[in-house]
Amino acid sequence: MTPLSLVEDLLAKFEPVDPREEKFAQTLRELLEKRKFDDKGKLTGPTLNLTVIAHHAGLKLKLVSHEGCALPAARELLLAAMERLSEYSLQVKCDFLDQEVKRLRARLDRYDSIYANRVVQLHKKKTQIEPTPANKYTPDDVRMAAQVLPMDEL
């Protein structure tokens, strides 16, 4: 078993739509070919994370560093590979979990935004007050709406 064999099926199924995605996949393959398992079954070699892969690919990290990035398919490929390899390396596991935390924070921020918008919309409907400019709510608008509306109305 090699590090590359653990993610070979991910690479085989990967269908890039952008040449940069293919470059990320090829770089991942090359970096994994250089890595080995030691006698304890742990992954050895240089650090493997999104930053290292982007650097070796000669591409910007921001292309795959966050949700909503320019190359989401490449990001998913790299994170899936890191997830599989995390069992064999504490460093890869930490880097994978850091990315997972960022993904979950972005998701929570999205939900918070949705709920805050609902609160403001309900407040607007109840009080017939339109913000200036229209549909542009400030954090103070959200706080005021949340204080005015009882929870049972949400």
Side-chain angles (χ1 to χ4, degrees):
M1 178 171 67
T2 66
L4 183 58
S5 68
L6 292 173
V7 297
E8 193 64 50
D9 63 321
L10 291 174
L11 290 165
K13 293 176 186 174
F14 183 63
E15 296 179 16
V17 287
D18 186 300
R20 297 173 296 177
E21 289 179 336
E22 178 59 39
K23 197 162 187 177
F24 273 112
Q26 185 59 36
T27 301
L28 176 63
R29 178 177 271 115
E30 290 168 5
L31 289 173
L32 289 177
E33 286 173 352
K34 296 176 184 176
R35 302 195 77 183
K36 304 282 183 234
F37 290 112
D38 64 12
D39 55 345
K40 296 179 183 174
K42 295 296 177 192
L43 200 56
T44 61
T47 301
L48 183 69
N49 59 33
L50 294 180
T51 304
V52 169
I53 296 168
H55 176 73
H56 281 280
L59 297 167
K60 302 262 187 213
L61 174 62
K62 72 178 186 174
L63 292 172
V64 293
S65 65
H66 60 281
E67 275 195 23
C69 61
L71 303 174
R75 176 181 167 76
E76 291 304 315
L77 169 70
L78 299 177
L79 290 179
M82 288 175 62
E83 181 178 17
R84 287 189 183 182
L85 294 168
S86 67
E87 182 180 333
Y88 303 96
S89 168
L90 185 58
Q91 181 63 46
V92 173
K93 185 172 194 157
C94 289
D95 291 332
F96 169 71
L97 291 175
D98 283 346
Q99 290 298 319
E100 188 67 8
V101 166
K102 285 180 186 176
R103 185 186 70 76
L104 291 172
R105 280 193 179 133
R107 199 169 167 192
L108 278 174
D109 288 346
R110 232 181 359 261
Y111 287 137
D112 285 350
S113 177
I114 290 168
Y115 291 132
N117 210 12
R118 285 182 186 168
V119 167
V120 172
Q121 290 292 335
L122 284 169
H123 177 64
K124 176 182 160 185
K125 188 176 180 180
K126 185 175 184 177
T127 61
Q128 302 298 314
I129 296 173
E130 180 67 38
T132 307
N135 296 320
K136 298 291 182 186
Y137 300 106
T138 66
D140 289 334
D141 292 331
V142 174
R143 279 192 289 282
M144 187 174 138
Q147 292 170 2
V148 171
L149 289 178
M151 289 304 290
D152 63 346
E153 291 186 30
L154 298 176

